[in-house]
Structure formats: structure tokens, C-alpha cells
Amino acid sequence: MAMDLNAKAAYIRGLMTGMEFDPASKNGKVIAAMMDLLEEMAAQVVEHDNALDQVYDELETLDQDVDDIVSDLYTDGEDEDDDAEEDSDDGLYEVTCPNCGKVSTVDEETLLDQTQELVCPYCNASFDIELEGTEDEQPEDNDQ
């Protein structure tokens, strides 16, 4: 649309030149002033149209950024990360050293191997673990 205004203003300027009107006459001065105003207005509209296009582009980018932020905040993305961590930690157990109290992870095979003692990676203390809920335990008889 804006380019059409400049083209139309140029067309009218061409008509004025082709008509050979006298810009020094009273009517000619008015028409020449109106033509100058028309060209300035067309140029201003083109400038505003270009600025508006730029604002729309930036607004669209901001809208997409806000959509991404909302998606990150309100989706279950954290649950997916937790599931991935749980999958990678399959067979690992946390063990607290009785000597220094620090927690380390041990794989299931090492944990169930009763032939060797566990060694704390922090203080190098050796210790045994008593597993809870193993099949070897006998249920207690509770007399009622």
C-alpha cells in the first residue's frame, strides 16, 4: 500500500508537469503546495509502514519466546528429566559410611556380594552393610 502512495504521488506530479500549469499563479501555488504536502505525507506513511513491519516482526519473535517460556514452565519437562535420571541410576543404591557419614553410590552387584567389605571412597574405611528386607529374615511371631 505504501509504495502505491508514492507511485500515485509521482503520477500526479507527472500530470502537473505535463499540463504545463503556471506555479507562479495563485492556483498554481496552491496546487504546487498541495503536491509537496502529498509527497511528504506519502513518504511519512512509507516510513511508518516500514517501522510497523519491524515492530510486528519483533512482536512475533517475542510471542514465540513467551510461548517457549510458558511451555518450559508448565510442561512435564522436569518429569522427563527425572525419568531419564532414574533409568540411568537403575541398580545403584546410596550407602552411608558409618565412619565419616558421607553418602556414596554402590551398584547392586557390589552391594549383594557378601564376600568382600565395602570401602568408603571418602575416608577409605571398610564396613559391612546389613540389608533390610532380605529373604533370609524370619518374620517375628507376635502373640496376641
Side-chain angles (χ1 to χ4, degrees), residues 1-8 42-50:
M1 177 183 122
M3 295 305 284
D4 291 344
L5 290 178
N6 281 330
K8 288 178 183 179
Q44 193 71 19
V45 168
V46 168
E47 185 179 320
H48 287 171
D49 194 40
N50 291 338

Side-chain angles (χ1 to χ4, degrees), residues 66-135:
V66 169
D67 286 345
D68 291 344
I69 290 170
V70 168
S71 176
D72 289 345
L73 286 175
Y74 294 109
T75 60
D76 292 336
E78 293 176 4
D79 293 340
E80 293 171 8
D81 293 341
D82 291 344
D83 291 343
E85 288 177 17
E86 288 175 11
D87 291 343
S88 66
D89 291 344
D90 283 347
L92 293 180
Y93 298 91
E94 291 184 348
V95 177
T96 303
C97 175
N99 187 41
C100 68
K102 293 198 176 187
V103 177
S104 60
T105 55
V106 178
D107 65 6
E108 186 173 3
E109 184 178 327
T110 305
L111 189 67
L112 294 176
D113 186 6
Q114 296 295 324
T115 62
Q116 66 178 7
E117 290 184 325
L118 293 177
V119 177
C120 177
Y122 301 103
C123 68
N124 292 325
S126 297
F127 58 94
D128 286 327
I129 314 178
E130 183 177 321
L131 298 176
E132 296 178 4
T134 60
E135 295 175 7

Side-chain angles (χ1 to χ4, degrees), residues 27-42:
N27 290 339
K29 287 181 183 180
V30 171
I31 293 174
M34 288 174 46
M35 187 64 227
D36 291 340
L37 176 64
L38 181 63
E39 288 174 338
E40 286 179 33
M41 288 173 61

